[in-house]
């Protein structure tokens, strides 16, 4: 039996769209990511997005119960097809945000809320994002790693500080 979220008429909905397939720029381009399945089975504990400051403000509203998070996938070609909702999450689902920084803009040492995680010995950040370390590094190779990113938790899981 499903769970229902009461969405008030003027409540804000923030959308995150996950890829069903690896993008053209990825070494595994066109292969399935399994992200929708991993989200529904709680294997994918989070998704990582650029613009930490924007997501931090959005999560202030989500935490107050003024907004919800709609996690979606593309029905067909990304940005050229409709979006299909995978799940709708609210503050009662224990979703949250943590800041991800890359030490000196490198993958070898990542900081989550100031605590250091080493990519090649402690790659749970990649795994919790639903990717191998190699796929994780290739996914984010075009991002500006000098700027903080948002780890958007889809479950109650958090990295310790």
């Amino acid at each position: 039996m499903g769970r229902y979220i009461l969405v008030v008429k003027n409540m804000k909905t923030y959308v995150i769209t996950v890829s069903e397939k690896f993008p053209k720029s990825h070494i595994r381009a066109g292969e399935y990511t399994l992200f929708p399945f991993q989200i529904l089975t709680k294997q994918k504990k989070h998704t990582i997005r650029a613009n930490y400051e924007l997501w931090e403000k959005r999560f202030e509203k989500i935490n107050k119960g003024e907004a919800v998070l709609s996690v979606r996938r593309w029905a067909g070609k990304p940005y050229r097809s409709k979006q299909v909702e995978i799940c709708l999450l609210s503050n009662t689902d224990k979703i949250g945000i943590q800041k991800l920084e890359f030490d000196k803009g490198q993958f070898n040492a990542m900081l989550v809320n100031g605590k250091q995680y080493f990519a090649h010995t402690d790659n749970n950040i990649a795994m919790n994002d639903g990717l191998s370390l190699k796929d994780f590094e290739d996914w984010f190779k075009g991002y500006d790693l000098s700027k903080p990113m948002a780890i958007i938790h889809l479950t109650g899981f958090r990295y310790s500080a």
Side-chain angles (χ1 to χ4, degrees), residues 98 111-117 124 153 157-161:
Q98 286 185 297
L111 303 169
V112 179
N113 286 1
K115 182 179 178 185
Q116 194 165 42
Y117 289 81
N124 56 354
H153 290 281
F157 172 82
R158 301 293 185 276
Y159 295 99
S160 61

Side-chain angles (χ1 to χ4, degrees), residues 99-112 114-119 125 144-149:
K99 184 189 285 188
L100 174 65
E101 296 173 282
F102 294 88
D103 192 17
K104 297 180 182 93
Q106 301 294 317
F107 285 105
N108 59 346
M110 294 175 266
L111 303 169
V112 179
K115 182 179 178 185
Q116 194 165 42
Y117 289 81
F118 295 97
I125 293 174
D144 183 352
L145 301 182
S146 68
K147 295 181 180 176
M149 298 179 81

Side-chain angles (χ1 to χ4, degrees), residues 19 26 35 47 54 68 70 76 80 82 98 109 124-125 133 146 157:
S19 298
H26 197 276
F35 288 165
T47 186
L54 172 72
V68 293
S70 175
R80 291 182 171 82
K82 291 184 179 182
Q98 286 185 297
N124 56 354
I125 293 174
L133 180 58
S146 68
F157 172 82

Side-chain angles (χ1 to χ4, degrees), residues 11 16-17 29 31-32 40 58 60 67 76-77 96-97 100 108 110 117 122 126-127 134-135 143 147-148 157-158:
M11 184 176 281
I16 287 184
T17 309
E31 291 181 40
Y32 285 98
L40 291 173
R58 289 178 174 181
E60 286 175 12
K77 218 174 196 176
I97 185 171
L100 174 65
N108 59 346
M110 294 175 266
Y117 289 81
D122 186 19
M127 289 186 311
K134 183 177 179 181
D135 287 337
Y143 284 71
K147 295 181 180 176
F157 172 82
R158 301 293 185 276

Side-chain angles (χ1 to χ4, degrees), residues 73-84:
R73 66 171 179 82
W74 297 105
K77 218 174 196 176
Y79 304 99
R80 291 182 171 82
S81 63
K82 291 184 179 182
Q83 297 174 356
V84 178

Side-chain angles (χ1 to χ4, degrees), residues 45-81:
K45 294 176 175 35
H46 55 63
T47 186
I48 297 173
R49 302 294 154 135
N51 203 340
Y52 173 78
E53 291 79 16
L54 172 72
W55 283 103
E56 184 179 42
K57 288 177 186 169
R58 289 178 174 181
F59 265 87
E60 286 175 12
K61 291 188 180 203
I62 291 171
N63 291 335
K64 289 178 185 174
E66 298 171 358
V68 293
L69 184 67
S70 175
V71 182
R72 302 176 184 181
R73 66 171 179 82
W74 297 105
K77 218 174 196 176
Y79 304 99
R80 291 182 171 82
S81 63

